Amino acid sequence: MKKLIWIIPLIVIVIVISFLLYVKIGLPDVDPAPDIKVEITPEKVARGKYLANVLMSCVECHSERDFTHFAGPVSGSPFAGGGEEFTVELGAPGNFYAPNLTPYHLKDWTDGEIYRAITAGVSKDGRVIFPAMPSHLYGQVSTEDIYAVIAYLRTLPAFEKTVPAPDPEFPFSLIMNFIPKKVVPGTAPDPANKVEYGKYLVTMAACIDCHTELEKGQMKMEEAFGGNRGFILPTGVVRSANITPDKNTGIGNWTEEMFVQRFKIYADSSFAAPTITEGFNTIMPWLGYSHLDEKDLKVIFAYLKTLPPVNKQIIKFSPKSN
């Protein structure tokens, strides 16, 4: 009996050590960075510029945003030089900083390492990237579209800026190692198939991530696209909109023209983001999205109209209490 008392703690210790070794050595469970060399052509760069700057909003997170103005426009220098913060004060499970995407940081990365980072969420050194970047969705994108993004990033001016190292809190520091999955690239549908192509663009834009409420850190998939995910801003908490076709609380009564114009009202060259020191602001990068192609907006709308309606009333904004 006395021996048994000593054996049980020993077994527990062995299990814990084995688990920690598995997390440290066996994870993340993804494939090695592929051996690829992306050809840089004007067509690829143009496509990559549109994806990175507009549809996928890469530069919104990987540049500094000024939330003293409406919709947090990209501001300062360097462009795509990193620095956007995801900190404990903003509700993150630790302190994370979007890295520099210019050749200053990526010059020693292979194209395969950049591809793996975008699509699997694993950095050059094998470290898991904070999942604010929706690699789980980017991994479903066609290889050609991801190659286009890589081609564009290679053409950016190099800006000398180094951001702080990530500092995840426990136990998220362990949990995040389980997040990356092996990549199964998708195929871009024929744009003539409006609904399928719209679904593809919505996946690239990661709309579901912002427009689905979280519960204990997990998306409530039964209410996908129903909104109500909260984001902490300097002036208060903004919650994402319901973009399902529910007629009472979503976009069920919207027309295609209304949807397109909602984005295009910020495309006027004379529009300047107003200063906001208190009250409503939004994390939605309206200024960047205003440059979405109208054809893309129309197929995105076509897909959203096919979603199951979610009846979910949203309190759009809660001001910061003094």
Side-chain angles (χ1 to χ4, degrees):
M1 196 65 180
K2 288 182 179 180
K3 288 183 179 180
L4 186 61
I5 292 173
W6 283 102
I7 289 174
I8 292 175
L10 183 60
I11 292 173
V12 171
I13 291 171
V14 169
I15 291 173
V16 170
I17 292 174
S18 300
F19 173 75
L20 292 175
L21 285 174
Y22 170 69
V23 172
K24 185 70 176 177
I25 300 172
L27 296 178
D29 184 18
V30 298
D31 293 325
D35 183 14
I36 58 173
K37 181 63 178 176
V38 174
E39 182 183 8
I40 299 178
T41 65
E43 293 76 20
K44 270 193 174 68
V45 171
R47 175 65 173 171
K49 181 178 181 180
Y50 175 70
L51 296 178
N53 290 8
V54 184
L55 183 67
M56 296 169 70
S57 292
C58 306
V59 297
E60 300 289 341
C61 283
H62 289 273
S63 302
E64 293 181 5
R65 295 178 68 181
D66 180 9
F67 281 104
T68 64
H69 287 76
F70 175 73
V74 171
S75 65
S77 180
F79 177 75
E84 183 69 5
E85 299 180 354
F86 303 87
T87 62
V88 172
E89 290 76 12
L90 298 176
N95 297 313
F96 304 88
Y97 307 88
N100 188 334
L101 291 187
T102 76
Y104 172 75
H105 176 62
L106 296 180
K107 63 182 182 296
D108 295 327
W109 290 50
T110 67
D111 289 343
E113 287 166 343
I114 298 174
Y115 179 86
R116 185 178 67 167
I118 295 172
T119 59
V122 177
S123 188
K124 175 183 174 69
D125 59 6
R127 174 179 48 80
V128 176
I129 298 169
F130 180 53
M133 185 174 76
S135 299
H136 61 292
L137 298 173
Y138 294 162
Q140 301 173 40
V141 174
S142 75
T143 53
E144 282 306 307
D145 273 335
I146 300 299
Y147 288 178
V149 172
I150 294 170
Y152 170 63
L153 295 180
R154 292 298 197 194
T155 69
L156 291 174
F159 287 106
E160 295 188 20
K161 181 175 181 179
T162 303
V163 303
D167 182 24
E169 292 184 329
F170 183 83
F172 187 71
S173 55
L174 296 180
I175 294 171
M176 65 189 298
N177 290 288
F178 290 89
I179 295 175
K181 305 296 180 187
K182 292 184 178 181
V183 177
V184 182
T187 302
D190 184 345
N193 187 331
K194 290 186 175 182
V195 171
E196 284 302 309
Y197 193 63
K199 180 180 179 180
Y200 179 74
L201 297 185
V202 165
T203 299
M204 272 205 284
C207 305
I208 192 171
D209 272 22
C210 285
H211 288 275
T212 304
E213 187 174 359
L214 298 182
E215 186 173 62
K216 296 180 180 178
Q218 300 295 314
M219 286 194 289
K220 298 174 70 173
M221 293 307 296
E222 69 276 12
E223 297 180 358
F225 297 96
N228 206 42
R229 180 171 178 178
F231 297 91
I232 300 173
L233 294 174
T235 57
V237 176
V238 65
R239 296 173 186 83
S240 56
N242 182 345
I243 55 173
T244 73
D246 182 72
K247 291 188 175 182
N248 295 316
T249 62
I251 60 170
N253 293 319
W254 288 42
T255 64
E256 180 187 84
E257 182 181 3
M258 290 168 62
F259 185 79
V260 171
Q261 288 307 310
R262 182 66 183 88
F263 287 82
K264 289 301 179 181
I265 57 175
Y266 305 108
D268 191 315
S269 59
S270 64
F271 177 80
T275 300
I276 293 180
T277 56
E278 60 182 3
F280 176 78
N281 201 349
T282 179
I283 197 168
M284 180 84 162
W286 284 113
L287 277 71
Y289 283 160
S290 71
H291 298 292
L292 281 165
D293 187 284
E294 286 196 20
K295 290 180 181 178
D296 287 349
L297 284 168
K298 288 176 180 179
V299 297
I300 287 171
F301 181 71
Y303 170 65
L304 294 179
K305 292 287 277 188
T306 69
L307 295 173
V310 176
N311 187 283
K312 193 178 185 72
Q313 195 70 49
I314 309 296
I315 298 174
K316 186 166 63 173
F317 185 76
S318 300
K320 185 178 181 180
S321 57
N322 295 321

